[in-house]
Amino acid sequence: MKREVNMVEQPITLKNNGQINIILNNETKKEKSYTTSIPRPAKKAVINHEPLREIEREMSGLVGMEELKKMIKEIYAWLYINKKREEQGLKAGKQALHMMFKGNPGTGKTTVARLLGKLFLNMNILSKGHLIEAERADLVGEYIGHTAQKTRDLVKKALGGILFIDEAYSLARGGEKDFGKEAIDTLVKHMEDSNDKFVLILAGYPREMENFLSLNPGLRSRFPFIFDFPDYDVNELMDIAGHMMNDRQYQFSTEAYKKLKDHFMDVKYNQTPRDFSNGRYVRNIIERSIRTQSMRLLEEESFQRNELLTLTSSDIQL
């Protein structure tokens, strides 16, 4: 009598290597081997460009600067593609990253310098990404040789980061015999000797910086990136004020908003531009107005939520 084998009841297992085993009466028997080879599509590496995304997020909170935001993205793209070219054994440009910022006070020059330091750190272009701020008095000494030493010390502190010199044109203000020229010569030397170890940013008023470049023809070629920081228009100034108020959890009454906007119109079109400092000017008004509101509420003994939130026309201190 033939013995029937019920294949349905027999356990079947599939090994990781593709072999199929049939188990008969709890004994493992390799009846046949089948090799399965199912090709899997190669996973494409996800590139999220996080260093760029981070600086774009931070710059999105800055009013205006559309052209500047575009230029920063171009710098990122150039640095990133250069790295990819190096990985493929192609020639990659070794362009310096020294910059000039031309703009009036309060247009965001120092803020952008800090963001660039963070970007270059995240891209491994700079080892620290910190910002050293300086002006003429920090570089120019009182006797021969003193200026060079002070300037060298500043550059040493800035290695791995950014050296930001505001009102840089003042270094050329005294003429040939002024020690400011020695500071410029020392900076130029370190720009060449430590080109990839720090970034130098010279900043100042647009007209004076342009004049500074004309007095030192060799400087322009050493600064491949020259950024203009234009003054804010009235609507942008109101946007800045709005951001500051939101950050501090305050709001304008309708009359207060109109009073502030009318004041900005007057400042922009009827007063001397040098008396105006853009974002810094707005911040000072907001802070004075908040203090005035505090005094008013204290005297009135009015502490309801809406009163604590709102700046009235009488609070706006211009």
Side-chain angles (χ1 to χ4, degrees), residues 64-195:
M65 299 189 184
E66 297 310 316
E67 192 62 30
L68 188 63
K69 293 172 185 176
K70 179 183 175 184
M71 283 294 298
I72 288 176
K73 189 171 184 177
E74 287 180 6
I75 291 173
Y76 173 85
W78 174 74
L79 292 171
Y80 185 85
I81 295 302
N82 262 357
K83 285 189 174 183
K84 291 301 178 185
R85 287 178 61 86
E86 286 178 348
E87 290 172 6
Q88 297 295 328
L90 299 171
K91 289 182 178 179
K94 294 294 183 183
Q95 184 174 326
L97 291 171
H98 305 304
M99 306 176 183
M100 279 199 174
F101 288 0
K102 298 191 298 181
N104 291 323
T107 48
K109 299 186 294 297
T110 307
T111 299
V112 170
R114 286 198 183 95
L115 291 177
L116 285 171
K118 184 182 291 187
L119 174 66
F120 295 153
L121 173 65
N122 291 339
M123 294 187 72
N124 296 318
I125 304 299
L126 294 174
S127 60
K128 297 178 182 177
H130 63 300
L131 181 72
I132 299 294
E133 296 182 61
E135 54 187 19
R136 177 185 165 92
D138 299 310
L139 289 93
V140 177
E142 300 173 359
Y143 49 85
I144 296 174
H146 190 205
T147 294
Q149 185 59 51
K150 289 183 73 173
T151 305
R152 281 194 296 268
D153 290 343
L154 264 180
V155 171
K156 187 176 180 180
K157 289 179 182 177
L159 290 178
I162 293 177
L163 177 56
F164 181 88
I165 302 176
D166 202 7
E167 297 185 5
Y169 49 81
S170 64
L171 295 174
R173 184 174 288 163
E176 287 294 322
K177 294 182 180 181
D178 184 72
F179 290 136
K181 184 179 184 301
E182 186 180 358
I184 295 171
D185 294 340
T186 306
L187 286 171
V188 168
K189 183 180 187 305
H190 283 285
M191 288 169 68
E192 295 172 352
D193 296 346
S194 306
N195 190 38

Side-chain angles (χ1 to χ4, degrees), residues 213-239:
L213 288 174
S214 67
L215 292 174
N216 299 271
L219 278 178
R220 190 181 292 271
S221 63
R222 290 181 168 87
F223 291 89
F225 301 101
I226 298 179
F227 294 147
D228 290 308
F229 288 73
D231 286 345
Y232 296 108
D233 62 31
V234 171
N235 288 330
E236 288 173 336
L237 291 171
M238 292 303 298
D239 286 342

